[in-house]
Amino acid sequence: MSSPLRRPLLAALPLAGVAAAGIAAGLAVLLAGGGLPGAMGAPRHLAVCAIAVIVAIAGARRVPSDRPIWVAFGLGVSATTLGFTVSGLSEAAADGCYLVSYLFYWLGLWRILRRRVGDATKLFWFDAVGTMLWLGAVATLLTASTLLIDDPVTDARVALDSLYVAIDLALASVPLAIIARSGRGIGLQLQLLCAALIVAAGADATVALDHAGVLTVDGAWADLGWEVQLLLVAGAAWARPTAVGHLRIGGWWEWLPTAAWIALGAGVLLAGQWTDLPAVTVGFALATLAAAALRSALAVRSVGGMVIHREEVLTDDLTGLPNRRALFAELELLAATAVGPDVRAGLLILGLDGFRDLNDTLGHRSGDALLRAVAHRLEPAAAGAGGTLVRLGGDEFAVLLRDTGDPVAAAHTLRDALEQPLELDEVTVSVQASVGVARFPDDADQAGELARRADVAMTDAKRRGVGVARYTAERDANSVELLGLAADLRAALTGGGSGLWVAFQPQVDLADGRCTGVEALIRWSHPQRGPISPAELLPIAERSGQMPALTDWVLERALEELATLQTAGHALRVAVNVSARTLVDVALPDRIATALGEHGVGPASLVIEVTEDAVMSDQRRCLAVLERIAALGVEVAIDDFGTGQSSLAQLRHLPASELKIDRSFVQRMAADPLDAEVVRLVVTMGSRMGLRVVAEGIETPEEQRGLAQLGCHVGQGFGLGRPMPARELEAFLAGGGATARVAA
């Protein structure tokens, strides 16, 4: 506890102890059957009350944000104590102090309500006032025999005493109402306040009944009750506050006050048919009925406002269509009520292509008009497909289809609805859209996830320019499955490569059949999912930023195995693929040099394979990195040549030693003369540039012979050797898969 809070607490605790001892002493005397003599009772009473004032005001310093609350309660305790002090001199002055203290108590509770229940404060106050009125009717009814005596002074005294009881209980009803409406524990702070007000009501009730002649009670009991009340209020200033949660709607607490007020008010007035009632009782009863009527009117207006508000909340202001909230309400309902495999649905999310450019060109006002026109076009198309059009916001719309055919066909229907240009402010505007499709429950069975995946599909359709795209996990960088695999891959790379291994595919000299090299290919046997294909693994590594670490891991394992093979007498080179993200890493050449040195492998035995597109992604930086790699004596190969976007002029500047013809050309050589001619030209060009030409994807002897006749140097493919683990590669080479040996 910091020193500013420790000092008031250290002062308050002894004072509170003294006050409690004083109350205990008075209680002991009363229980012993004696009364408190004036010489002892009045000073003790005032001392206890004064201590309560000090403790309450000291507590106001504890939490700065709650200081106004406890200053109000401290002032209320002070006003009450002042009333006790002047009660022997002027009863009217004492009553004035008591009424002022109630104003401070009301103010303190109002501040607590504002902090705990926010906008519902007015409702709580209205219920508290209504409770005070019907309690006043009850209290004056119990003292009716005295109030019917034609003595204005006595009547005023008894009526005021009854009002005190009603106010005490009305204030106590506020924390009790918070319990009922929030469904949460009230907390020690409000418990103490509630107890203080109930104790005060008991003390005031004994005084009221005594003044009315109903009971004869020693006034010292009331004094003790007021002392306990004040100390409880002071203790609440030091208690820990409890925040109240969301208010519940639709419980008994909403109709009970009105029903109780009507029953009591009507009951009191009905009793007046058989017995005389004091005017003040009739007045309280009529006020209670008026409060009930007003509360009912407010409830009706509130319900009507809620209906209007609900409609506004679920409707898009610009187009008048249902909005995102309405869609998610339907999706939640679908997910909650779907039972059995027969319940199916499709969610389409449509985004306008190039809307931002149109909006910037035409202006925001025309952009809004365009969105309204698009909504007018799409709405009947969505209805015809069996769904309802929803505007999500911006340039995005959605349609939820329940058990209505093929959602992909519906997506094309929506796109077709925008084929005709739109007339907008004397300007003809052509609009196209991309639509993403996600199926319930195939793609997702939860509302939020279904919407997310439909949005992923829409983004995919925009990126690929295909118009309509179904959701596929492979294109979702943030799917739960892919995120889990990315985490597992990171754990495998940092934990020794659990499940990761390198396969080696032989590269054969087409002239004499010798195995002169291998390509290192990553493989992953996932502990739970089994084998993960490279087509799935590599995009995961790329999107999660782990491709450089994966490349380094493959490089280390490839060089380690190559060193073993070369020691066994096999003259081979090994090729390792490098992605675009890794190729721009200026530290890559240093890591390659370090790895070569650690494994004792000569740089000429390593080939770094890069694709044309990887080089073109950041040409200047990639060329600088490749030149440093080539300067080490490491060879550079252009992989998948002929499928990228580089030109022959750009190829001249690459420090390449090898060209690899993509398998798509090789496998169509026999059927397509044009592909055969492309292969011939690449082989001729590569040979004249002094490059080694490698053909990928060889599967038949005919392809092997044809490439050899064209002058292709090296071949690779299933027909020559499948990718295999290091142990199988050793057996492959030892069994005649290669004839070349390192010279002794």
Side-chain angles (χ1 to χ4, degrees), residues 23-338:
I23 293 175
L27 181 62
V29 172
L30 286 174
L31 292 176
L36 290 174
M40 173 187 176
R44 183 199 58 77
H45 181 62
L46 292 177
V48 171
C49 293
I51 290 173
V53 171
I54 296 172
V55 173
I57 293 178
R61 297 182 59 186
R62 189 174 65 90
V63 181
S65 61
D66 283 349
R67 188 168 296 164
I69 296 174
W70 299 108
V71 168
F73 278 107
L75 292 173
V77 172
S78 301
T80 302
T81 302
L82 182 61
F84 294 151
T85 304
V86 302
S87 60
L89 302 175
S90 171
E91 196 172 66
D95 287 328
C97 290
Y98 299 149
L99 291 174
V100 169
S101 71
Y102 281 125
L103 291 177
F104 285 121
Y105 294 152
W106 280 87
L107 179 61
L109 276 177
W110 178 80
R111 297 284 304 199
I112 289 177
L113 281 173
R114 289 293 300 173
R115 181 69 56 84
R116 306 291 183 261
V117 300
D119 294 338
T121 299
K122 293 181 180 178
L123 174 64
F124 280 84
W125 277 132
F126 190 84
D127 285 351
V129 171
T131 300
M132 181 188 69
L133 292 174
W134 74 261
L135 285 172
V138 172
T140 55
L141 183 63
L142 293 175
T143 58
S145 59
T146 302
L147 291 172
L148 289 172
I149 299 174
D150 192 12
D151 184 351
V153 175
T154 302
D155 289 353
R157 180 72 266 162
V158 173
L160 191 57
D161 290 340
S162 301
L163 182 62
Y164 289 155
V165 177
I167 294 175
D168 291 334
L169 293 177
L171 289 173
S173 73
V174 173
L176 293 175
I178 293 176
I179 298 175
R181 292 293 299 270
S182 68
R184 291 186 55 179
I186 193 173
L188 180 60
Q189 190 177 82
L190 289 183
Q191 286 179 12
L192 292 174
L193 285 177
C194 186
L197 293 166
I198 292 175
V199 169
D204 288 336
T206 61
V207 173
L209 294 173
D210 183 65
H211 285 171
V214 178
L215 294 174
T216 301
V217 184
D218 189 336
W221 285 105
D223 289 344
L224 283 175
W226 291 324
E227 293 166 12
V228 172
Q229 169 211 354
L230 297 184
L231 282 180
L232 287 173
V233 172
W238 291 92
R240 182 178 181 180
T242 301
V244 176
H246 297 293
L247 300 181
R248 296 182 295 174
I249 298 175
W252 56 267
W253 49 84
E254 294 192 351
W255 56 264
L256 182 61
T258 303
W261 299 350
I262 293 174
L264 182 88
V268 169
L269 295 178
L270 186 62
Q273 300 297 317
W274 292 279
T275 185
D276 293 333
L277 295 177
V280 65
T281 303
V282 175
F284 274 126
L286 291 174
T288 301
L289 289 175
L294 181 58
R295 195 179 193 278
S296 299
L298 290 175
V300 171
R301 189 175 70 175
S302 176
V303 170
M306 289 175 64
V307 171
I308 295 173
H309 178 67
R310 177 178 175 80
E311 183 176 348
E312 291 176 348
V313 164
L314 298 179
T315 303
D316 176 58
D317 292 337
L318 180 64
T319 61
L321 296 172
N323 62 10
R324 179 183 292 270
R325 290 190 184 91
L327 173 66
F328 273 85
E330 286 295 317
L331 291 176
E332 294 287 357
L333 182 63
L334 171 67
T337 58

Side-chain angles (χ1 to χ4, degrees), residues 477 482-483 485-487 489-490 537-548 581:
L482 293 187
L483 288 176
L485 285 175
L489 176 60
R490 183 172 288 106
L537 168 60
L538 296 179
I540 291 172
E542 193 75 41
R543 286 192 291 257
S544 61
Q546 300 181 76
M547 186 60 81
R581 180 169 296 186

Side-chain angles (χ1 to χ4, degrees), residues 217-470:
V217 184
D218 189 336
W221 285 105
D223 289 344
L224 283 175
W226 291 324
E227 293 166 12
V228 172
Q229 169 211 354
L230 297 184
L231 282 180
L232 287 173
V233 172
W238 291 92
R240 182 178 181 180
T242 301
V244 176
H246 297 293
L247 300 181
R248 296 182 295 174
I249 298 175
W252 56 267
W253 49 84
E254 294 192 351
W255 56 264
L256 182 61
T258 303
W261 299 350
I262 293 174
L264 182 88
V268 169
L269 295 178
L270 186 62
Q273 300 297 317
W274 292 279
T275 185
D276 293 333
L277 295 177
V280 65
T281 303
V282 175
F284 274 126
L286 291 174
T288 301
L289 289 175
L294 181 58
R295 195 179 193 278
S296 299
L298 290 175
V300 171
R301 189 175 70 175
S302 176
V303 170
M306 289 175 64
V307 171
I308 295 173
H309 178 67
R310 177 178 175 80
E311 183 176 348
E312 291 176 348
V313 164
L314 298 179
T315 303
D316 176 58
D317 292 337
L318 180 64
T319 61
L321 296 172
N323 62 10
R324 179 183 292 270
R325 290 190 184 91
L327 173 66
F328 273 85
E330 286 295 317
L331 291 176
E332 294 287 357
L333 182 63
L334 171 67
T337 58
V339 179
D342 295 334
V343 179
R344 312 187 71 79
L347 178 62
L348 317 180
I349 291 185
L350 177 148
L352 301 182
D353 298 336
F355 175 75
R356 178 175 296 180
D357 295 336
L358 287 172
N359 202 35
D360 292 342
T361 301
L362 300 175
H364 292 289
R365 189 171 180 179
S366 295
D368 290 345
L370 175 61
L371 290 173
R372 286 192 290 268
V374 168
H376 183 72
R377 282 276 186 91
L378 294 177
E379 192 169 15
T388 301
L389 185 67
V390 172
R391 182 177 178 232
L392 297 178
D395 64 342
E396 292 186 359
F397 297 82
V399 178
L400 178 62
L401 304 172
R402 286 177 173 262
D403 303 317
T404 51
D406 182 9
V408 174
H412 286 289
T413 300
L414 292 177
R415 293 193 75 245
D416 293 344
L418 298 177
E419 277 190 351
Q420 297 299 320
L422 297 168
E423 296 295 332
L424 188 66
D425 294 336
E426 300 181 356
V427 176
T428 301
V429 179
S430 295
V431 180
Q432 292 184 329
S434 298
V435 187
V437 179
R439 296 171 180 263
F440 177 91
D442 300 348
D443 296 323
D445 58 2
Q446 297 297 319
E449 187 62 15
L450 185 68
R452 190 192 71 80
R453 295 189 173 189
D455 188 65
V456 167
M458 186 268 289
T459 303
D460 180 43
K462 278 182 179 288
R463 183 174 58 250
R464 295 190 292 135
V466 295
V468 175
R470 282 195 56 185

